[in-house]
Amino acid sequence: MSRVARLGRCLFKSGKRFESRQSTLRMQAETLTDTPLSTSLETSQFAMFKATEIVAAAAATAEAECLEQLKKADVIPQLMTGILENERILCADPTTVAAKFRKMMLGGAGKTVVISDFDFTLSRYANEKGERLSTTHGVFDDNVMRLNPELGQKFVDLKNKYYPIEFCPKMTMEEKIPHMEKWWGTSHSLIVNERFSKSTIEDFVRQSRIVFKDGAEDFIQSLDGHNIPLVIFSAGIGNIIEYFLEQKLGAIPRNTHFISNMILFDEEEKACGFSEPLIHTFCKNSSVIQKETSFFHEIAGRVNVILLGDSMGDIHMDVGVERDGPTLKIGYYNGSLDDTASLQHYEEVYDIVLIHDPTLDFAQKIVDIINSASH
């Protein structure tokens, strides 16, 4: 039975007591479901649900449950007002975003999955002084220099050469891809050729300049507590993320799944290779998730996606999800406020753009709303 039909049944279980309020309740139900009640359930269909033998107690319970569902719709206008009044949040299509929120709220935690980038999405882009922090690849840039300056300079030179290409506004994605493959491949070769040990890399992470966004630990743990899968889809180094989570959270939450470049270790726990296929900024899509088919099949019932990213390469991370539900795309913009072209581009591809936001407060608010709707 459809949600509209269940609402109709709920309304008429109480018989005559509802008829005088039917118009108001219809309007509230239409707001909740985005469906004109009159087109989905005819008067004759409503009538067949009347049952004079329903006792008053059962009718009162049905009414309370129905109205509780209707009240949840009030959260959406409040949320949208907060978004539109915040000068640090961009939302190009409030109507579509509100509809996505509503569907996700109705689906609840049981139909939700979060797919997130890591570098500068779950982690901070800059510290309180405005100094840029590290990515997972940057862990080697930071640490190798003090142990082996010659090798460390090679990592720095690679970044200085290819980072401007990654963000060059005059180059197409297709033009950038060969350069990204060269950058990632060369960097990975340096790591493997040096045969860094697992313990050395773990120590690099402890001394790294990777910092969680404010509220990230609570966000990750709240997802785990409500059994909402978290897929960390990163073009960085997955082992670095694992070690970082272990060090900050004590253990990797059971709800967390990684799609990333993984360092392979030999029997001596020395780096001996990297997983295939290589994942760089511009290939976080169907080309690299074939081996993840079984995982996405396991979460096939998770049809509503919250996607968190900070670059153009993150917008297709939901490609592996078997679904017919909405994807709410939340983008963290870390660029210049004077770069209006980039800001506009982010606004075009992300549903919500958070400008220079060092927190996960907004994502947490969305998850809290979805969780509250599940109870």
Side-chain angles (χ1 to χ4, degrees):
M1 185 183 296
S2 69
R3 177 170 291 276
V4 175
R6 291 198 300 272
L7 283 171
R9 186 169 188 171
C10 176
L11 295 176
F12 275 83
K13 278 185 176 180
S14 299
K16 293 294 184 180
R17 291 193 300 114
F18 272 88
E19 291 183 351
S20 63
R21 300 170 58 200
Q22 189 179 97
S23 177
T24 300
L25 287 168
R26 275 175 178 267
M27 292 174 61
Q28 291 177 311
E30 289 171 2
T31 300
L32 179 64
T33 61
D34 274 341
T35 305
L37 212 54
S38 59
T39 62
S40 297
L41 204 59
E42 300 299 330
T43 303
S44 59
Q45 291 175 287
F46 270 90
M48 74 179 189
F49 290 125
K50 287 189 177 182
T52 56
E53 69 273 21
I54 300 292
V55 296
T61 299
E63 178 182 9
E65 292 176 350
C66 180
L67 292 178
E68 182 63 28
Q69 289 295 322
L70 292 172
K71 286 177 183 177
K72 291 175 181 176
D74 295 340
V75 175
I76 305 303
Q78 295 173 16
L79 179 62
M80 294 307 302
T81 297
I83 291 172
L84 298 176
E85 291 180 350
N86 192 324
E87 62 181 11
R88 290 287 181 171
I89 301 179
L90 301 179
C91 179
D93 190 350
T95 301
T96 297
V97 169
K100 289 184 178 184
F101 281 144
R102 188 175 296 112
K103 290 177 182 177
M104 289 182 162
M105 188 178 69
L106 291 174
K111 291 189 177 296
T112 301
V113 58
V114 176
I115 302 178
S116 179
D117 174 50
F118 183 81
D119 291 325
F120 303 152
T121 297
L122 293 180
S123 69
R124 289 184 62 146
Y125 178 78
N127 61 20
E128 289 79 2
K129 297 179 181 179
E131 299 167 337
R132 182 172 166 177
L133 297 170
S134 289
T135 63
T136 52
H137 277 100
V139 166
F140 287 92
D141 300 356
D142 296 340
N143 288 277
V144 175
M145 185 65 78
R146 61 185 171 83
L147 299 179
N148 184 337
E150 182 179 354
L151 178 60
Q153 190 59 48
K154 291 181 180 180
F155 283 109
V156 173
D157 290 344
L158 284 172
K159 180 179 178 180
N160 291 340
K161 178 179 180 179
Y162 291 109
Y163 184 80
I165 295 176
E166 180 181 359
F167 290 95
C168 177
K170 297 181 180 180
M171 296 179 66
T172 66
M173 186 180 298
E174 289 71 22
E175 291 172 331
K176 294 178 181 182
I177 286 176
H179 297 285
M180 297 303 100
E181 291 175 342
K182 182 68 174 178
W183 183 9
W184 261 252
T186 303
S187 178
H188 291 178
S189 293
L190 292 176
I191 294 170
V192 172
N193 292 341
E194 189 65 17
R195 299 191 74 235
F196 287 105
S197 69
K198 180 179 178 181
S199 61
T200 296
I201 297 172
E202 289 175 329
D203 187 57
F204 284 176
V205 175
R206 289 188 189 91
Q207 301 184 56
S208 74
R209 294 182 303 115
I210 296 177
V211 178
F212 260 144
K213 269 189 167 73
D214 294 349
E217 294 182 36
D218 291 339
F219 177 71
I220 293 172
Q221 290 172 339
S222 71
L223 293 177
D224 187 38
H226 289 91
N227 197 31
I228 297 175
L230 169 62
V231 180
I232 297 180
F233 197 161
S234 172
I237 300 177
N239 312 70
I240 303 292
I241 302 172
E242 289 182 340
Y243 303 156
F244 183 77
L245 293 184
E246 288 172 346
Q247 292 170 17
K248 296 300 181 182
L249 304 179
I252 297 173
R254 65 184 186 279
N255 70 319
T256 305
H257 182 80
F258 299 93
I259 302 175
S260 188
N261 300 297
M262 304 300 294
I263 301 173
L264 307 178
F265 296 98
D266 60 22
E267 63 276 3
E268 297 179 352
E269 293 198 329
K270 301 282 189 178
C272 64
F274 269 82
S275 59
E276 296 287 346
L278 182 145
I279 303 174
H280 58 74
T281 303
F282 301 114
C283 70
K284 296 170 77 173
N285 51 45
S286 58
S287 67
V288 298
I289 63 167
Q290 294 180 1
K291 64 180 181 180
E292 305 294 338
T293 301
S294 60
F295 167 75
F296 282 112
H297 185 67
E298 289 176 10
I299 63 167
R302 306 281 180 163
V303 296
N304 300 330
V305 180
I306 299 173
L307 183 150
L308 309 176
D310 76 306
S311 74
M312 295 300 108
D314 294 330
I315 61 176
H316 299 300
M317 292 190 298
D318 62 331
V319 70
V321 180
E322 302 174 12
R323 58 178 172 78
D324 55 5
T327 293
L328 179 69
K329 298 184 179 182
I330 301 173
Y332 293 87
Y333 180 76
N334 300 307
S336 170
L337 296 179
D338 296 327
D339 190 350
T340 55
S342 291
L343 277 169
Q344 183 178 354
H345 195 187
Y346 269 69
E347 195 173 11
E348 289 170 353
V349 299
Y350 284 103
D351 296 305
I352 300 288
V353 180
L354 306 175
I355 301 173
H356 295 178
D357 189 352
T359 79
L360 280 176
D361 292 350
F362 185 83
Q364 184 69 67
K365 180 181 292 186
I366 301 306
V367 170
D368 288 344
I369 290 173
I370 291 172
N371 285 334
S372 67
S374 302
H375 300 304

